[in-house]
Amino acid sequence: QSALTSLFRSIDKEQENQLNRSHILVLIKEFYSNIPINMKKYITNPLDWSDKDTVYSPTPTPSILTTPFCPSGSIPIETPKTLTTPAVQETVEVEEPVEAPEPVVAEEATDESASPEKSVRLPPEDDDEEEVKELKHDIELIGQEIPSHLTQPREQEIDIKINLEEFIYVTERLLGEDPHPRALTALSEFLEDSFQETPQQRQSRQLEEKLAAKHHAMMIKINDLFDEWDVDKLGFLDRTEILAVLSQWQKNSTKPYNIEMSKQICKSVEAVEKKDLLRDDFLDLCQTFHKVLDSDDYMDRLLDFVHLVVQTQRGDLRRERKRRRWLEVMELLPKISGSDHSLYFRSFFDIIEKDFAYHGTGRLINAYIALIEVDPDADEEDEDKTLLRYVASTTNDQNILMGRTLYATQKCISNQVRRSGKAVYINQIRNNNQVHLWAMDRWAVDEDRDGAFLVLPLKNDQEKVVGVVGVDTLLSANPTQFLPHEISFIQNVVRQLSSGFSFLDARHKFSRTLISLLETIPRKESAVLSTSCYVVEPVPHVPSGPESPEKPDEYVLRHVMSLNPKTNIVEIMSGVNRETIRRSDSTFRYSEDTAPDNPNMDGKRDYLFACLDKRENVQNRAYGTDHLAMCVEDKDKVPVFVIDLDTGKDKSKILKQAQIKSVRNLLNKMVQVFEQLLEEVSSDEKKFEADWEETLPDDLRFALRFERMILEDLKRRMSNMDVGGLSEIKSYNEPPAIIGTVIQVVMLMLGICAEEELQEWSKIKTHLNSELLKKLAAFDPLAKDTKVDIHKANDRLKGLTAAEVKKGGSMPTYLLYQWVIDVISIIRVGETSRYPRFYCFPPVLP
C-alpha cells in the first residue's frame, strides 16, 4: 500500500487527490494486454471485470445537472467536483477469480502503451481572441465524436473520479493482496509513463470545467428567474406574458443581428402550444433561446434584460396590489364605521401617509379636507354665499388649519377647484402667489425648501362639489414633486372618499331623527325606562378559493346612542365609548337563574342577534332587567338598526302586544323618513313638504318631519274623541290635580286663556267644547304666527309623567297630555335651527 500510495501521488499531477476513473481503467486494461504472457499469471484479467468490481464502496450518488443545456454539436457539460479529498471509506472484500490464466506462447514485452484520448484545452487568459475562437470551433467538431455514454447520463452512473483508497482497491484487485515485485514495478512504470497530461489535454479539461461552471450558473439564473416571475407561486408562467417581455426586448434591439435573433426567439415562443408553461417547459424554451443565439454572452444579456423587466413589473404589481387593498378598505369603511365620519377621514389620511412612506421614498405629506358651508355673513348682493371650512387634517396641520375658513372672495387654489370641479397641481409652492399659507414660519426651516401642492374636488354621487381635498409635500425633503402614479392613486382614493362621504352624510343627517325616536318611545310607552340604538354593520366575507361556498351574511352591532334614564338625554357614543358587539363575544347573560315567566321571552343570551336573524321582536332578561329587541329594515329588507328597549326589573311592566305594536308604529314612521332622506341624497333634489322646511338644515328638517308624523297620528286618534269625552272632565267642580294641570297647559299653549285665568276652573271648563277639538286639530307648532312659551309649559308639567296621567286621569286627559308633549318636542327641535350652525360634520380631533 505504501508503494501504491507513492504511485498515486506521482501520477496526480494537479495534486487534487483524485484521478479520472475511466482513464485509470483503460490504462490497466492496456497494461494487461501489453505485458508478457509469463507475467499475466501473477495478476487478474481486468477485461473480465464488471463495473461493480471496480467500486470500492456502495456507488455514491452522482452529481449530475439537469437536461444538458447546450447547443447541438457542443460538448455535454458535467458538474464540476469539489476539489477536496473524499472521506476514507470502509474496505470491501472481493473474492479473486479462482480460475488460473490459460497458458499462452511467451511474447516480448513492448514499451508501447495506448495513447489516451486527445482533447482540446482552453488557452491561457493572455492568448489572443482568435485562438480562443479556433479552439471553440475545434471543440464543436470534437463533440460530434464523443460517445453517447458520455453525453447521455445513465440511471446509475459511477463517479468519474477515483480517490486514493479506490485506487489502492483497484490495483490490489489487479495485483492481488501479495503482489509480485516484478508486476508491481511494471505497473508503476507503465502508469507513470502513460499518465502524462499534455498541454492540449490540460486546456481541454480546463475548458470543460469552465463551461460546466458557466452552465451551472446559467441554470441557477434561469431557475431564479422563474421563481421571481411566478409572483403568485402558481408553478407556471403565462406564455403571453413571456411573449410581451421578449417583444419589448425586440423593440429595444438596434443592431440587425440582434433584431433578427429577437424575431426568431419571439417566433419560437409563439410556436409553443401550451398557454401555461411549467418549470421544465420554461427550461426547454430557454434551451431553444440558447440555440438561436448560439452564444453564452447573448444568452446572459437576454436573461439580464428579462430579469430587470420582471423585477420592475413585480415592484409595480406589489404596489398596485397594496393600493387596491387600501381602496377596498376605503370602500368598506363607511359601512363598518358606525356612521362616524372622523374614523373615515382619519383612515383616508393614514392610507395617504402609508403610501408615501412605502412607495414615495419615505416622504412626509400633509393633507386636509375642507367642506362647503353657507356663509351666514354673506351680503345679499354676493353671488357666492358659501365658504370652505377645514374639518379634518393630518397631525402636522391640526393646530394650524382646524376651524379656519376660506371665504368665497379670497383668491386661492381651493376656491378655484371648488368652482371649476377640476383638480389643480402645482409643482412649486414658493413661486405661486395663489397658494394661501396659514403658517409662514415653515419657510424659516430651510430657505431653499419648496413643495408640491395637489388640490382635488370632493364630490357627491351626483358629481356635485361639496368640498376640496388638499395634499402637499411642504415638510418633505427633496424631491418634493408628485410622480404620475402617486397623483393617479390620490385621485382614486379621493374618488372613493367622495362615494363614502355621500353614504356617511346621509347616515349622519339621519342621526337627529334617531335621537327623536329614542326620546319619543319612553314618552309614548311609560313602561320603557331606557332605549338604545345599534347600527347593523356587515362583516365582509373573504372567500377561501374560487369555488368556496357562499356563507350566510354575518353582522356586528355598533352601539351609537342611548337614552339615559336619569337625565332623559340621548347620549351619542363616540370613540372608545362606541362599543362593537360581535356574535362570538356577546356578553348578554341571564342575571337570574329562573327562566322568564312571560312566554314571549326568548331563552338565548345573544337576544340582539336572535332578533337580527329572525327579523322579529325578541324579549330577554339581561343584567337583571327585561329587554325587548326590535329589528329595523329598509325597503330592500336589509337590517339597518336594532332598537333595544329596557323595561326595568319589574316583570309586570314587560310590554304587551298592544304596546309593542305602538312602538313598531313609531319604527315604521322612522323607516319612512329614512327612505325619504336616501331618495333625496341619491337624486340630489330636495323635496319640501311645507314652507317651513326650506330654511332648515337637512338633519333638523327630517327630524321635524318625523315629529310631525307622530303628531298627525295623535290628531287622528283625537278626532275620534267627541264632545262627550270632554263632558266627563267638564263635570268636575274641582278636578284632580293631574287633570287640572293638563287642561291648564293645553289652554296656555293654544292661547285660549291668559296665565292669570288658569287658576279659575269655572272659566276654563267653559272652553271644553267642540271648538277646542277644532283648534287642537288645526294647530301647527311650526307656523310662523305660532308663539308658544314651552318653558312655562314645562314648569307646570314638571314631575308629571305619562304613567301618572294614564293612571290618575281619564283617556281624554291622557291624549291631551300626549298632544302637549309632542308639541313641546317639535318646538324644541325647531328652535335649534335659530342658532348658528357649522356643517353637520364637527371637526376631527387628533
Side-chain angles (χ1 to χ4, degrees):
Q1 288 189 358
S2 177
L4 293 177
T5 301
S6 300
L7 175 62
F8 181 86
R9 301 299 183 191
S10 64
I11 63 179
D12 183 15
K13 306 297 182 180
E14 299 293 336
Q15 296 183 358
E16 297 178 351
N17 293 325
Q18 54 186 1
L19 301 173
N20 189 297
R21 174 185 293 274
S22 59
H23 192 191
I24 291 292
L25 295 178
V26 169
L27 292 179
I28 288 176
K29 293 177 181 179
E30 291 181 358
F31 169 75
Y32 180 82
S33 300
N34 296 328
I35 61 175
I37 297 178
N38 59 357
M39 191 180 294
K40 290 184 178 180
K41 62 183 179 180
Y42 302 117
I43 59 177
T44 60
N45 186 3
L47 301 177
D48 297 334
W49 293 354
S50 63
D51 291 341
K52 294 182 179 180
D53 294 336
T54 62
V55 178
Y56 170 66
S57 62
T59 305
T61 304
S63 176
I64 304 173
L65 289 176
T66 56
T67 305
F69 185 78
C70 57
S72 59
S74 62
I75 293 179
I77 301 169
E78 301 289 350
T79 305
K81 299 297 179 178
T82 305
L83 304 182
T84 57
T85 304
V88 178
Q89 303 175 11
E90 298 181 358
T91 305
V92 179
E93 296 183 359
V94 182
E95 294 183 359
E96 296 185 2
V98 295
E99 51 188 14
E102 298 179 359
V104 292
V105 181
E107 296 180 1
E108 293 184 357
T110 59
D111 297 331
E112 298 179 358
S113 60
S115 60
E117 292 183 5
K118 306 298 182 181
S119 60
V120 183
R121 306 208 175 188
L122 278 176
E125 296 183 356
D126 55 350
D127 287 354
D128 295 334
E129 296 182 358
E130 295 296 327
E131 295 182 4
V132 176
K133 293 181 179 179
E134 293 177 2
L135 290 175
K136 288 185 177 181
H137 180 68
D138 295 339
I139 292 172
E140 293 179 358
L141 296 178
I142 294 173
Q144 297 176 359
E145 301 175 359
I146 294 179
S148 59
H149 71 275
L150 296 178
T151 58
Q152 297 180 359
R154 293 171 296 180
E155 294 183 358
Q156 293 183 349
E157 188 174 8
I158 302 175
D159 195 355
I160 61 175
K161 298 294 182 180
I162 184 172
N163 57 18
L164 175 61
E165 288 77 9
E166 293 172 334
F167 177 76
I168 293 176
Y169 171 77
V170 172
T171 52
E172 286 184 346
R173 175 79 173 169
L174 175 69
L175 301 175
E177 295 182 358
D178 187 14
H180 194 278
R182 290 182 56 193
L184 177 60
T185 303
L187 177 64
S188 301
E189 293 176 353
F190 179 80
L191 291 179
E192 289 178 353
D193 295 340
S194 302
F195 210 91
Q196 296 290 336
E197 190 176 34
T198 64
Q200 187 178 12
Q201 291 175 334
R202 184 182 300 107
Q203 292 177 1
S204 176
R205 177 177 53 80
Q206 292 176 352
L207 177 61
E208 290 180 5
E209 294 176 353
K210 183 175 292 187
L211 292 177
K214 184 177 292 186
H215 166 70
H216 185 67
M218 186 174 297
M219 292 297 296
I220 293 176
K221 183 182 293 186
I222 294 175
N223 283 281
D224 292 344
L225 176 61
F226 182 89
D227 295 334
E228 189 168 3
W229 205 337
D230 186 16
V231 180
D232 297 327
K233 304 304 179 184
L234 300 176
F236 61 85
L237 300 179
D238 191 352
R239 180 173 58 86
T240 56
E241 294 182 4
I242 299 176
L243 185 60
V245 174
L246 294 177
S247 301
Q248 187 176 352
W249 179 61
Q250 179 182 353
K251 294 179 182 178
N252 296 340
S253 301
T254 55
K255 297 182 180 180
Y257 175 78
N258 296 340
I259 295 175
E260 183 64 25
M261 292 297 101
S262 61
K263 289 181 179 179
Q264 294 183 16
I265 286 177
C266 292
K267 290 181 180 179
S268 63
V269 178
E270 294 174 354
V272 178
E273 297 180 356
K274 293 183 178 180
K275 182 179 179 181
D276 300 328
L277 302 183
L278 301 176
R279 186 183 296 270
D280 293 340
D281 300 330
F282 184 69
L283 292 175
D284 295 340
L285 188 62
C286 291
Q287 184 176 359
T288 305
F289 296 163
H290 193 276
K291 292 180 181 179
V292 173
L293 294 174
D294 197 19
S295 172
D296 293 339
D297 294 336
Y298 280 115
M299 188 65 188
D300 287 337
R301 293 178 187 177
L302 174 60
L303 293 178
D304 292 340
F305 175 82
V306 175
H307 182 76
L308 180 61
V309 173
V310 169
Q311 270 190 334
T312 305
Q313 291 179 350
R314 186 178 184 183
D316 295 342
L317 181 60
R318 286 180 176 177
R319 183 181 62 207
E320 294 302 322
R321 286 185 175 180
K322 186 179 289 293
R323 287 177 171 176
R324 193 179 300 115
R325 287 196 296 269
W326 285 338
L327 290 176
E328 291 174 355
V329 171
M330 285 292 296
E331 182 181 3
L332 186 62
L333 267 177
K335 301 177 182 179
I336 63 175
S337 59
S339 304
D340 187 0
H341 70 283
S342 60
L343 175 62
Y344 190 52
F345 289 165
R346 196 174 296 114
S347 300
F348 164 73
F349 295 140
D350 289 343
I351 288 175
I352 295 295
E353 290 176 340
K354 288 180 180 178
D355 182 77
F356 273 78
Y358 295 156
H359 312 304
T361 64
R363 286 179 292 169
L364 297 176
I365 61 108
N366 305 314
Y368 68 84
I369 298 175
L371 300 178
I372 298 177
E373 296 180 8
V374 177
D375 186 1
D377 301 328
D379 298 332
E380 296 181 359
E381 60 272 10
D382 293 341
E383 296 181 359
D384 192 350
K385 297 182 176 60
T386 60
L387 54 83
L388 281 173
R389 185 179 301 278
Y390 294 92
V391 298
S393 68
T394 51
T395 307
N396 296 328
D397 290 342
Q398 287 283 346
N399 299 329
I400 301 173
L401 296 180
M402 295 309 299
R404 292 183 179 268
T405 57
L406 284 174
Y407 294 95
T409 56
Q410 291 180 266
K411 293 183 179 180
C412 58
I413 300 298
S414 297
N415 282 331
Q416 176 183 343
V417 170
R418 76 183 180 99
R419 292 191 184 100
S420 62
K422 298 180 180 180
V424 175
Y425 171 59
I426 299 173
N427 57 2
Q428 290 183 346
I429 298 177
R430 185 183 289 272
N431 298 329
N432 196 296
N433 56 3
Q434 291 188 353
V435 177
H436 182 76
L437 292 177
W438 293 102
M440 295 296 297
D441 57 343
R442 287 187 174 176
W443 295 121
V445 179
D446 187 358
E447 294 182 356
D448 297 332
R449 172 174 291 179
D450 202 348
F453 189 32
L454 177 63
V455 185
L456 304 99
L458 184 65
K459 302 179 180 180
N460 58 10
D461 293 339
Q462 291 73 37
E463 297 298 321
K464 181 180 178 182
V465 179
V466 295
V468 296
V469 177
V471 183
D472 67 79
T473 59
L474 195 59
L475 294 180
S476 179
N478 292 330
T480 58
Q481 283 72 24
F482 292 105
L483 300 178
H485 67 85
E486 295 173 342
I487 296 178
S488 175
F489 173 66
I490 295 175
Q491 287 177 332
N492 292 332
V493 177
V494 172
R495 190 178 298 111
Q496 193 61 53
L497 178 69
S498 300
S499 177
F501 175 83
S502 299
F503 181 87
L504 285 178
D505 188 23
R507 292 296 182 96
H508 193 80
K509 289 177 180 178
F510 190 68
S511 61
R512 186 62 188 82
T513 306
L514 287 176
I515 294 175
S516 298
L517 172 69
L518 298 186
E519 292 176 344
T520 304
I521 292 177
R523 195 171 70 222
K524 297 296 182 181
E525 298 299 335
S526 58
V528 178
L529 301 181
S530 177
T531 55
S532 299
C533 179
Y534 297 88
V535 175
V536 180
E537 296 180 355
V539 176
H541 170 57
V542 180
S544 58
E547 299 180 358
S548 60
E550 295 185 359
K551 295 184 178 180
D553 296 335
E554 184 58 39
Y555 303 95
V556 297
L557 300 176
R558 196 181 294 273
H559 192 191
V560 292
M561 60 182 65
S562 62
L563 177 66
N564 191 327
K566 297 181 180 179
T567 61
N568 289 329
I569 297 176
V570 176
E571 299 175 352
I572 300 178
M573 308 300 174
S574 61
V576 295
N577 295 327
R578 183 166 287 191
E579 180 187 10
T580 301
I581 303 176
R582 297 173 177 84
R583 188 188 300 271
S584 58
D585 56 6
S586 179
T587 57
F588 292 100
R589 300 177 182 272
Y590 291 119
S591 60
E592 299 177 5
D593 297 335
T594 58
D597 298 333
N598 195 314
N600 195 28
M601 290 282 189
D602 194 290
K604 292 185 177 181
R605 65 166 185 154
D606 52 347
Y607 67 101
L608 295 176
F609 288 96
C611 166
L612 196 60
D613 296 337
K614 297 179 180 179
R615 303 292 200 274
E616 61 183 24
N617 306 326
V618 175
Q619 287 187 335
N620 197 6
R621 191 170 182 84
Y623 298 116
T625 58
D626 295 318
H627 291 259
L628 172 65
M630 307 182 74
C631 182
V632 180
E633 300 176 316
D634 59 9
K635 62 180 180 180
D636 297 328
K637 301 301 180 181
V638 176
V640 182
F641 305 103
V642 172
I643 307 299
D644 183 17
L645 309 180
D646 185 359
T647 57
K649 297 182 179 180
D650 190 357
K651 295 183 179 181
S652 62
K653 293 186 177 181
I654 295 176
L655 298 182
K656 307 300 188 294
Q657 289 299 327
Q659 295 172 311
I660 295 176
K661 184 178 180 181
S662 175
V663 176
R664 176 58 65 179
N665 185 33
L666 295 177
L667 298 182
N668 293 338
K669 289 181 173 56
M670 182 197 69
V671 173
Q672 184 178 352
V673 174
F674 184 61
E675 296 296 337
Q676 293 175 1
L677 173 61
L678 294 180
E679 184 179 355
E680 282 194 8
V681 171
S682 61
S683 62
D684 197 24
E685 180 182 357
K686 296 185 178 181
K687 299 178 181 179
F688 301 114
E689 295 183 353
D691 296 338
W692 55 267
E693 291 188 353
E694 298 179 3
T695 58
L696 293 176
D698 292 337
D699 56 340
L700 293 182
R701 181 162 59 91
F702 285 98
L704 288 175
R705 189 177 293 182
F706 172 72
E707 297 271 4
R708 281 179 61 87
M709 293 173 65
I710 297 174
L711 181 61
E712 293 298 327
D713 186 60
L714 178 62
K715 288 181 178 181
R716 283 192 292 270
R717 292 176 59 189
M718 294 178 63
S719 63
N720 298 327
M721 182 178 61
D722 52 8
V723 182
L726 297 176
S727 60
E728 179 184 352
I729 302 174
K730 193 175 180 180
S731 63
Y732 288 110
N733 292 329
E734 285 295 334
I738 295 177
I739 297 177
T741 301
V742 173
I743 298 300
Q744 289 175 5
V745 174
V746 171
M747 297 300 174
L748 181 62
M749 296 178 67
L750 292 177
I752 296 176
C753 297
E755 190 173 358
E756 57 274 7
E757 297 177 355
L758 296 178
Q759 303 300 328
E760 299 181 11
W761 176 252
S762 59
K763 292 184 178 180
I764 292 177
K765 65 181 183 180
T766 58
H767 299 288
L768 299 176
N769 49 33
S770 59
E771 291 296 326
L772 177 63
L773 297 178
K774 293 180 181 179
K775 288 183 179 181
L776 290 173
F779 184 78
D780 186 2
L782 295 175
K784 294 182 179 180
D785 55 349
T786 300
K787 296 182 180 180
V788 177
D789 191 348
I790 61 174
H791 302 289
K792 292 182 179 180
N794 282 327
D795 291 340
R796 290 184 176 274
L797 292 175
K798 190 175 182 180
L800 188 62
T801 62
E804 295 174 349
V805 174
K806 192 172 185 179
K807 183 177 180 181
S810 59
M811 181 54 66
T813 306
Y814 181 73
L815 293 177
L816 290 175
Y817 174 81
Q818 292 291 339
W819 179 89
V820 170
I821 296 300
D822 290 346
V823 170
I824 291 177
S825 178
I826 292 176
I827 295 176
R828 181 171 53 83
V829 174
E831 281 186 347
T832 58
S833 63
R834 302 176 187 175
Y835 301 101
R837 293 169 52 82
F838 292 142
Y839 193 83
C840 60
F841 284 164
V844 179
L845 299 179

